[in-house]
Amino acid sequence: MHIPDRDKCNWLREKIETAKPKEYNKDRRLVMLDRLIWSTQFENFLATKWATAKRFGLEGGETLIPGMKEMFDRAADLGVENIVIGMPHRGRLNVLGNVVRKPLSQIFSEFTGGTRPVEGEDGLYTGTGDVKYHLGTSYDRPTRGGNRIHLSLVANPSHLEAVDPVVIGKTRAKQFYSNDADRTKNMGILIHGDGSFAGQGVVYETLHLSALPNYTTGGTIHIVVNNQVAFTTDPRAGRSSQYCTDVAKALNAPIFHVNGDDLEAVVCVCELAAEWRQTFHSDVVVDLICYRRFGHNEIDEPSFTQPKMYQVIKNHPSSLKLYEQKLLGTGEVMKEDVQRIHDKVNRILNEEFAKSKDYVPNKRDWLSAYWTGFKSPEQISRVRNTGVKPEILKRVGQAITTLPENFKPHRAVKKIFELRAAMIESGQGIDWAVAEALAFATLIVEGNHVRLSGQDVERGTFSHRHAVLHDQETGAKYCPLDHVAMDQNEELFTVSNSSLSEFAVLGFELGYSMENPNSLVLWEAQFGDFANGAQVMFDQFLSSGEAKWLRQTGLVVLLPHGYDGQGPEHSSARLERFLQMSDDNPFVIPEMEPTLRKQIQECNWQVVNVTTPANYFHLLRRQIHREFRKPLIVTAPKNLLRHKDCKSNLSEFDDVEGHLGFDKQGTRFKRLIKDRNDHKQVEEGVNRLILCSGKVYYELDEERKKSERGDVAICRVEQLCPFPYDLIQRELKRYPNAEIVWCQEEPMNMGAYSYISPRLFTAMKALGRGSFEDIKYVGRAPSAATATGFLSVHAQEQSELVKKALQAEPIKFL
């Protein structure tokens, strides 16, 4: 009754109130019985073989399995071809084995520790692995109606509900790549617990995406396995609403509460949910009211906290026993029929158990055929040129700066586009926004999908991007990047302002990026500081997903960062946190060959702080033009967007030099930019080498000009992780007598200092040069807050650190 739509309410009345109770014939009931026996016997078998192992079984909610299978059968009849599933640990092994059809011998093998392949054998990368109830898989499953449906269960961490937006994003990507414009062929299914559905904020954030044009998937089916207790917490302490599903009322989604002991009711409701989704293309919730026969896990004692409940549960018959009694009572099914199914299931379970002792894992797959040919972390990958032919740059440059004749933009925006057109025409003064647009446009022309989302990204937080323009008279929108290729698919480039969410939107884009490697998917935070609203995504998925689950992603994260006097919450992207999570060894220099780059493959992600538009252009294109995928964390600029010196010439974007020379501007991304001055008398002329990253370079360079310090070299470390040992050592050799200084804007306990210092020392040590004390730090003092809130204090601090870096006398260690 909370749904304010007469047609939808009438549809529900017709399905539920005016129709006769659904009656199933003997054949259907035997199928349901078979599926329920599989669900129940699977848990019993695991309990017998591994009595003390944690498996987070489904006992008390076994009807979930036949309910899901009937739902999928009905969905397939209605046109669904792919289903992406996300779920927590409870019942996951049962779903893996009985719904997604992960080999039972593999599941059983994982209980005994599994057979770990030798890392590197035949190019096989095994990663760190994860516990068995976090793993995913995929399978093409036949349905009762004679169709086939592809199921994929997404791997997830213990953080309940964190996988929700990842599933939705992956589903949306499947819809894009399969031209599923009406969103009826690809569907997401999310399974929840009662406590987490009511308690975790990301649930609402994910629900909130369901009707947004660039995030909708045409409806998600939510199944809440309602144990009526969350770990040890009673419902009255776990939520304020009557039902754990009440949050879904905000979306006007129908919520079907169903008795988990009534198998046929569960099947009926699951079929009804599939019909709703395919009819109204919106979310629907099944509240499977059941119980948890044991504790939170099998070795937990639930009667410590719920003694009365567990006394009732102890004496309560299983849903299988109840259904067998029902069927035997009708006379349709004989005891022999029931026993025959039991014997079959037990025989297969024992056969699979015997196979598990010799089970050998197959080589990992990279999600789908789209990933064929992409290399795993231990394989060597060539560096590719990312420059673009000058004539293509000119052509797409004109396309992205030309507006329709009858379009009336804001006069300030019109002026911006006139300046951009002049940049392209002259080939000089290319700024950050134009460089980004050129990167997007050239990738689109090459046939790649580009998707950018986040808060206010269409215009840009700092009013610099203007990817979508608005006619000041009609309100009509125009996106220049939709018009860079002939007969361009309008969704080949997608830019979208997101809801005011970090957790769910970043998770969505992560899921989207995992589907197909031939796409540049970017999420931009409004300010870099706000990324910590999605910290679970960074910790559990982005930084470690490849190691745990063998799943690559090339997601780009843009985090505006820089000390401009805007206070503690608008200065720092918390660069130090991303560097701390990087897994490269600070005391080992990777082996590198002149024409090959293996180092970046061996690290879990990349962290950069880029200082030129041309380098940003090559950085974005590098994400696509390589043989593997890694997440990319970009501490994006703020004041450099309009800085007078932060400009590049169009020649720096081209491919004139082809594959020659790593240091040629315009051929590929520069991990380190050497000093712009030509120091002819190297040893005598330079007595200080300042290494820095980000916008502080421009302030250092300005101060160097003012103080006429020709004896100081300034090098920019554009790629912080993986650390560019080879290029750092090149500069150390170039200035053998120079004092080494690391300069940063951030406090000492933040920024890149604690990451850079041991690696810089390792590079120096390998050259037989100096000690750790020879690395001089210049930056702000340690601080609890990222920055001061007083503009005058900021200005003083900034001036002092820049002057200290360039002072005439030697700098003291710390």
Side-chain angles (χ1 to χ4, degrees), residues 574-640:
R574 291 288 189 173
L575 176 61
E576 63 280 356
R577 292 181 176 173
F578 300 100
L579 293 173
Q580 183 194 33
M581 287 189 281
S582 302
D583 66 356
D584 57 328
N585 191 326
F587 306 112
V588 177
I589 300 177
E591 294 182 10
M592 306 186 76
E593 300 175 41
T595 59
L596 298 177
R597 289 295 181 270
K598 185 182 176 186
Q599 176 193 1
I600 197 160
Q601 269 279 67
E602 293 177 339
C603 195
N604 58 328
W605 58 11
Q606 313 144 83
V607 182
V608 302
N609 196 357
V610 184
T611 59
T612 75
N615 220 23
Y616 180 50
F617 168 87
H618 290 292
L619 174 71
L620 295 178
R621 287 182 52 80
R622 185 179 75 163
Q623 279 297 94
I624 296 296
H625 290 281
R626 53 171 33 154
E627 299 168 305
F628 60 93
R629 293 291 177 263
K630 296 282 181 180
L632 172 62
I633 308 298
V634 182
T635 49
K638 293 184 291 182
N639 76 5
L640 293 190

Side-chain angles (χ1 to χ4, degrees), residues 293 302-303 306-316:
R293 186 165 289 279
S303 60
Q306 280 81 25
K308 290 185 177 181
M309 172 187 269
Y310 274 87
Q311 189 61 43
V312 172
I313 289 173
K314 182 178 179 181
N315 299 316
H316 187 71

